[in-house]
Amino acid sequence: MSKFLKGTIILVASGLVTRLLGFVNRMVMARMIGAEGVGLYMMAYPTFVLMVTFTQFGLPVAISKMVAEAKAVNEIRKIKKILAISLIITLGLSFILTPALFFGAPWIAEHFFTDNRTLYPLIAIAPVIPVVAVSSVIRGYFQGMQNMRPAAISQVIEQLVRILFIIILTRIFLPRGIHMGAAAAMAATIIGELFSFVYLMALFQRRKAFPVRRHFFHLRKGKEILKNLLATAVPAMGGRMVGSISWFLEPIVVTQSLALAGIRANVATAQYGSLTGYALPLLLLPSFMTAALGTSLVPAISESLSLKNFSAVEARLQRVIR
């Protein structure tokens, strides 16, 4: 079985498991904090996705592509520089955006959302942004090496830990109010990300194809690699940014529209929770298939193009389309 087909099967299987666990997560959250609490959580969550989109800067796709190309011609030093430059960019952006979100959360909650209780989930998001930034770089590396298992397992770990800590934390904080229950659910999401990050870092330390020493960030002749990274990352970020900004604006537009229709803020929050917490995840369930195919296709095609094996490129494209 080819690495491409094997990686696709792993991602499809993990995608299905992750989506099913996501439904369990939604059911547990709904039982613990109710539709209103889910609404507060889902109003804040698009802000988290938008911050992650900014910090990732489209680099996971670019890393996957360039690592696959370098691996095809056995340029291990180049892989090391690709990761170093990517980490500098993502960590630099995350150290700017984390305090901006933390201190800007009161203003966002007051001016954008009809329910200012979203402040607490928004504040809970901020600390995890650097962790997600580094995790995205490590995932991109493994995908470029056409090893899809670490990314797949990390997603399952994240969902399992999230479900466990939603049960634990909401029991502790819900008596203090729905807003604290929603913040606890967001904190559970962050803890899931942390466990996923620890797993990826431990695996990276064991499986990396090069030593990581104190000169890891010594980037002689790194300008060309930076240019090539940005050539792929910027268009990829542009595509993701459209979706992330749209999702960020969605709870603002929906809840403001409900408010204009005369619906009270807490009722609008509950209705938004029903829409985004229950209905939309069910509607979007099949998308894990196309996500898995797309993720596997980037490094596979990049490797074949690097070796000028155009027949393999055509064969893989036809297989994915079928």
Side-chain angles (χ1 to χ4, degrees):
M1 186 185 293
S2 68
K3 287 187 290 184
F4 167 66
L5 188 57
K6 183 179 178 181
T8 303
I9 291 170
I10 289 170
L11 287 176
V12 168
S14 71
L16 178 59
V17 171
T18 302
R19 288 301 172 94
L20 291 175
L21 287 173
F23 278 120
V24 174
N25 178 35
R26 292 285 199 282
M27 287 187 284
V28 170
M29 198 188 304
R31 286 182 177 275
M32 300 300 292
I33 61 177
E36 191 175 345
V38 173
L40 289 172
Y41 174 91
M42 291 305 299
M43 285 166 72
Y45 192 75
T47 305
F48 169 65
V49 174
L50 183 62
M51 293 296 105
V52 168
T53 302
F54 275 120
T55 53
Q56 288 182 346
F57 203 70
L59 285 169
V61 175
I63 295 165
S64 176
K65 174 182 178 293
M66 290 188 64
V67 166
E69 290 171 347
K71 175 177 172 285
V73 293
N74 202 32
E75 291 187 4
I76 303 302
R77 277 190 175 181
K78 187 175 180 180
I79 294 174
K80 188 174 178 180
K81 287 183 180 180
I82 290 165
L83 292 184
I85 292 170
S86 300
L87 283 170
I88 289 170
I89 294 170
T90 54
L91 285 173
L93 288 169
S94 66
F95 289 144
I96 294 169
L97 291 170
T98 299
L101 177 60
F102 186 83
F103 292 109
W107 186 83
I108 294 170
E110 184 179 348
H111 290 87
F112 284 95
F113 299 110
T114 55
D115 196 327
N116 57 17
R117 291 177 298 173
T118 51
L119 168 64
Y120 300 93
L122 284 171
I123 289 174
I125 294 168
V128 82
I129 292 174
V131 173
V132 176
V134 177
S135 294
S136 67
V137 172
I138 304 303
R139 281 195 181 99
Y141 164 75
F142 280 120
Q143 288 165 0
M145 299 296 282
Q146 297 194 52
N147 181 2
M148 304 300 170
R149 190 175 283 110
I153 294 173
S154 70
Q155 288 173 346
V156 174
I157 289 171
E158 179 191 332
Q159 286 289 349
L160 289 171
V161 171
R162 186 185 296 187
I163 292 166
L164 175 64
F165 276 90
I166 281 176
I167 295 169
I168 295 170
L169 294 178
T170 52
R171 283 183 183 275
I172 297 170
F173 289 98
L174 188 59
R176 303 180 188 184
I178 289 290
H179 60 290
M180 294 302 292
M186 189 63 78
T189 300
I190 290 165
I191 294 169
E193 291 280 358
L194 284 170
F195 271 78
S196 173
F197 168 74
V198 169
Y199 166 76
L200 285 170
M201 286 301 297
L203 203 62
F204 177 72
Q205 286 293 329
R206 283 170 38 207
R207 302 278 181 88
K208 62 185 184 297
F210 48 81
V212 177
R213 298 192 179 97
R214 59 182 177 175
H215 298 302
F216 180 70
F217 291 103
H218 182 63
L219 302 173
R220 186 182 299 171
K221 298 179 181 178
K223 286 185 178 179
E224 185 181 349
I225 292 173
L226 175 61
K227 182 181 176 182
N228 291 335
L229 273 170
L230 294 179
T232 303
V234 172
M237 181 193 177
R240 283 203 64 188
M241 190 59 66
V242 171
S244 297
I245 291 174
S246 299
W247 197 16
F248 172 73
L249 293 174
E250 180 189 284
I252 299 168
V253 173
V254 171
T255 53
Q256 293 284 0
S257 299
L258 290 172
L260 288 172
I263 296 173
R264 287 180 293 118
N266 62 329
V267 177
T269 300
Q271 289 181 350
Y272 185 74
S274 298
L275 171 68
T276 56
Y278 314 134
L280 288 180
L282 185 63
L283 181 67
L284 300 174
L285 176 63
S287 63
F288 74 89
M289 291 285 292
T290 51
L293 289 167
T295 301
S296 296
L297 193 61
V298 170
I301 284 194
S302 299
E303 182 184 59
S304 298
L305 285 173
S306 182
L307 297 171
K308 300 190 186 301
N309 187 355
F310 301 113
S311 60
V313 173
E314 184 180 356
R316 281 167 179 166
L317 282 171
Q318 287 179 353
R319 182 180 296 171
V320 166
I321 291 168
R322 283 198 301 270

